[in-house]
Amino acid sequence: MPDDITPSMTGPSNEDLTRRLTQARYPRSNSYDVRWVIENQMGPNALWLLEWLAPALGLDTLRPCARVLDLGCGRAMTSVFLAREYDVQVTAADLWVKPDENAKRIAEAGFADRVLPVHTEAHDLPFAEGSFDAIVSIDAYQYFGTNDLYLPTLTRLLKPGGRIGVVVPAMREEIEGVEPPAHLKQWWQPDFWCFHSADWWRRHWTRGGAVEVETADWQPDGWKDWLLWCDVIAEESPEEFHRTMARDVGEMVRADQGRSLGFVRLVGRRK
């Protein structure tokens, strides 16, 4: 097990952070060095969200040597997690993080033989039909997947019977009208309109006919994990941009208290 992603207990700060972030419902994520996760985050805790998603995908999908596309992988934490925890072969695709940067991070973690970083845009994926056993997307799909025509195009990359699984920030209930909930209005950004309910996502995936929707559910108390992570990032991230963003998002999530905001996971099987 590579030293750089296993728990670092060299000082009180790391010990305190490890205790603070250890969650019984995320036993796999607990084994990763908190500093490594903090330094490579780009939003909510992607390892927690992926660990919540994985059981819905099933071990028959995340089986050893399966080919998995990690779409919108960011700094490839989720790709390393998939390779380490499930012994799958991962294509780590992202638009904003250069593949050379991810290749270095992946190699340092010890998974250069199982994770291939690729620079690509979600609407221009350079892969053949039936290339993957599974497609995974954590805290990214909401930015490019709300168009009715997108899922049928994406799922052609799956083998018949292959699964796509995503986790997205979401609304507990779909917003009616053109205004956000009053208690969220001061923090609301235009890109938050891509947050939808589990029912909306189920309908969206079902009506295209590309997949059979197997899971579309709301994460119980997901807002609490989100708030805890925002508080930690606001205090501990080495990047000022991420500290500022975490403070703003944390204020919004704290004001909401789970009334509206949280996470939805979706799993669909290609017919």
Side-chain angles (χ1 to χ4, degrees):
M1 189 178 295
D3 291 340
D4 57 321
I5 62 171
T6 52
S8 175
M9 307 297 287
T10 57
S13 178
N14 276 14
E15 290 175 0
D16 291 344
L17 275 174
T18 298
R19 283 193 293 269
R20 187 177 179 187
L21 293 173
T22 295
Q23 305 265 15
R25 59 188 174 277
Y26 304 125
R28 294 178 185 267
S29 300
N30 290 340
S31 68
Y32 290 73
D33 174 37
V34 291
R35 291 293 177 186
W36 184 80
V37 180
I38 288 169
E39 289 169 4
N40 292 305
Q41 62 79 37
M42 295 180 69
N45 190 312
L47 299 192
W48 289 349
L49 297 178
L50 179 52
E51 190 162 356
W52 178 50
L53 173 66
L57 279 168
L59 293 179
D60 60 327
T61 296
L62 297 177
R63 61 187 183 276
C65 298
R67 296 190 64 192
V68 179
L69 172 62
D70 186 2
L71 185 57
C73 68
R75 292 172 174 166
M77 280 199 306
T78 47
S79 303
V80 169
F81 185 96
L82 286 164
R84 179 188 175 198
E85 302 301 326
Y86 300 102
D87 196 24
V88 296
Q89 295 288 329
V90 186
T91 299
D94 200 79
L95 175 64
W96 304 112
V97 181
K98 295 178 181 179
D100 287 350
E101 296 175 10
N102 273 343
K104 182 175 184 294
R105 196 162 18 250
I106 291 162
E108 288 173 349
F111 293 95
D113 61 332
R114 279 185 268 169
V115 181
L116 174 67
V118 174
H119 179 261
T120 188
E121 202 275 328
H123 295 86
D124 189 26
L125 299 172
F127 310 115
E129 184 169 350
S131 293
F132 300 101
D133 299 290
I135 298 172
V136 169
S137 185
I138 303 298
D139 185 30
Y141 191 86
Q142 70 274 14
Y143 295 121
F144 48 75
T146 57
N147 186 289
D148 288 344
L149 303 179
Y150 184 72
L151 185 64
T153 302
L154 177 62
T155 51
R156 72 175 182 82
L157 304 181
L158 284 173
K159 296 176 181 177
R163 287 185 171 91
I164 175 172
V166 310
V167 178
V168 291
M171 303 299 293
R172 184 183 291 272
E173 302 291 341
E174 199 62 19
I175 297 175
E176 301 294 337
V178 297
E179 294 290 331
H183 68 286
L184 300 178
K185 198 167 184 177
Q186 72 181 92
W187 298 283
W188 198 259
Q189 301 293 325
D191 57 352
F192 292 173
W193 287 111
C194 68
F195 296 174
H196 292 287
S197 67
D199 287 344
W200 187 95
W201 280 109
R202 178 184 290 277
R203 183 173 62 251
H204 180 61
W205 276 23
T206 299
R207 65 187 177 188
V211 298
E212 176 188 350
V213 178
E214 297 179 328
T215 301
D217 59 359
W218 174 264
Q219 185 180 33
D221 289 333
W223 71 274
K224 294 180 180 179
D225 292 342
W226 198 354
L227 179 57
L228 170 61
W229 187 245
C230 284
D231 287 346
V232 168
I233 295 302
E235 298 164 7
E236 301 292 339
S237 175
E239 300 175 51
E240 183 177 354
F241 171 78
H242 285 141
R243 292 196 301 272
T244 300
M245 179 179 291
R247 280 193 292 270
D248 291 344
V249 174
E251 288 178 5
M252 179 177 68
V253 175
R254 182 174 280 107
D256 182 66
Q257 293 286 302
R259 284 181 284 172
S260 301
L261 294 167
F263 296 98
V264 160
R265 79 181 159 184
L266 295 136
V267 173
R269 182 179 61 83
R270 182 181 178 183
K271 296 181 179 179

